[in-house]
Amino acid sequence: DRCFDLMQNFDLLDAWRMLHPKEKKFTWMRFHPKVLHSRLDYVLIHQDLVSCLKKAEIKPGYSTDHNRVQVEFHLEAAKKGPGLWRFNSLLLHNKEYVKQTTQLIKDTSPDFQDNMQWCFLKMKCTELAMKTAKLRALHTKNLIRLFEKRIQIIEQQIFFATPQQIHGLEQRLKRTKQFLQDEITEKTTANLFKRKLNWHIQGETNSKYFHA
């Protein structure tokens, strides 16, 4: 009742229900003493944002027994200036990238006194870094989709499982959620790095007050 009053007072709507008026789906499950499930988690948006709502999905959660509700809005594209590529130092933790870059430098054997050779080597290293970053991002995206699909399948299997099967399925579900969490953490770390880099480049530095 309190949630309903809140929605009424602030003109809030259930984002997922707006796009899925008849679909039945849950965000929470309990296995013991018997299997129960319910949709306990919501994303509430103001009614003025309904026209901008593009997607609302319930996806597998991790490190919790709740699934996550993910919404996406379609906003007018902001004007952007020309892009400026910056090296992502997280690539230095990628052993294959480090190996390829080391080999590239050995194969090129540049004379660092020759500005042309030095520029050529930097260009090739930049190409390799951009290619590796794109491939890794695509790989992470595909893994997240794969683990989300596996979690959904296991959760469905639990509904029809015998008491003897539930324990094994719970263990599989736990492992798969951990794999999902690892991939999402890596993706989040990369995104945070980009945001911090942009924040630094745009001159948003701390004032002397924060260094006192």
Side-chain angles (χ1 to χ4, degrees):
D1 292 338
R2 293 181 62 184
C3 182
F4 181 76
D5 291 340
L6 180 69
M7 295 174 66
Q8 290 290 321
N9 293 335
F10 293 95
D11 298 324
L12 301 177
L13 299 172
D14 179 355
W16 187 84
R17 182 55 68 195
M18 293 299 299
L19 298 184
H20 307 273
K22 297 182 179 180
E23 185 175 351
K24 292 184 179 181
K25 211 164 186 180
F26 61 88
T27 64
W28 171 83
M29 176 187 288
R30 187 183 71 185
F31 303 124
H32 305 290
K34 63 179 181 179
V35 177
L36 295 177
H37 61 278
S38 180
R39 191 166 74 93
L40 301 179
D41 304 270
Y42 302 85
V43 173
L44 303 178
I45 64 173
H46 193 271
Q47 61 183 13
D48 292 343
L49 290 175
V50 173
S51 59
C52 301
L53 186 61
K54 179 180 179 181
K55 185 185 298 184
E57 298 177 309
I58 294 177
K59 293 195 171 186
Y62 52 89
S63 68
T64 177
D65 56 354
H66 288 253
N67 290 337
R68 69 186 195 275
V69 184
Q70 181 174 308
V71 299
E72 185 176 331
F73 295 94
H74 180 68
L75 304 176
E76 293 183 1
K79 294 183 178 180
K80 298 181 180 180
L84 179 63
W85 181 83
R86 297 284 181 174
F87 177 74
N88 186 343
S89 62
L90 295 176
L91 289 175
L92 297 176
H93 299 288
N94 186 313
K95 294 182 179 180
E96 184 61 28
Y97 167 76
V98 172
K99 179 181 178 181
Q100 292 184 24
T101 303
T102 302
Q103 189 61 46
L104 176 61
I105 295 174
K106 289 180 179 179
D107 294 342
T108 306
S109 300
D111 177 3
F112 292 105
Q113 301 300 319
D114 187 328
N115 189 57
M116 184 65 71
Q117 289 190 28
W118 173 234
C119 290
F120 176 77
L121 176 60
K122 289 194 293 183
M123 181 189 72
K124 300 301 291 184
C125 288
T126 299
E127 289 178 353
L128 178 59
M130 295 176 69
K131 178 181 178 181
T132 303
K134 288 181 179 180
L135 289 175
R136 181 55 196 167
L138 179 60
H139 180 65
T140 299
K141 182 178 180 180
N142 290 336
L143 281 178
I144 290 175
R145 288 179 176 175
L146 174 64
F147 293 140
E148 288 177 343
K149 186 65 176 179
R150 286 182 179 176
I151 290 173
Q152 292 172 346
I153 292 175
I154 296 173
E155 289 177 339
Q156 290 296 323
Q157 290 174 338
I158 289 175
F159 281 122
F160 305 101
T162 64
Q164 293 79 11
Q165 296 173 323
I166 286 181
H167 177 71
L169 290 170
E170 281 184 296
Q171 295 302 312
R172 285 178 55 194
L173 183 62
K174 182 178 179 180
R175 289 195 300 269
T176 307
K177 285 191 173 186
Q178 182 60 54
F179 292 147
L180 176 61
Q181 180 178 1
D182 293 342
E183 293 301 325
I184 292 180
T185 298
E186 179 174 331
K187 180 179 179 180
T188 302
T189 301
N191 288 336
L192 287 174
F193 177 86
K194 293 178 182 178
R195 301 299 180 270
K196 290 180 179 179
L197 182 60
N198 291 337
W199 179 70
H200 176 72
I201 292 173
Q202 294 169 5
E204 296 292 339
T205 55
N206 289 331
S207 66
K208 293 182 179 180
Y209 172 81
F210 292 97
H211 296 283

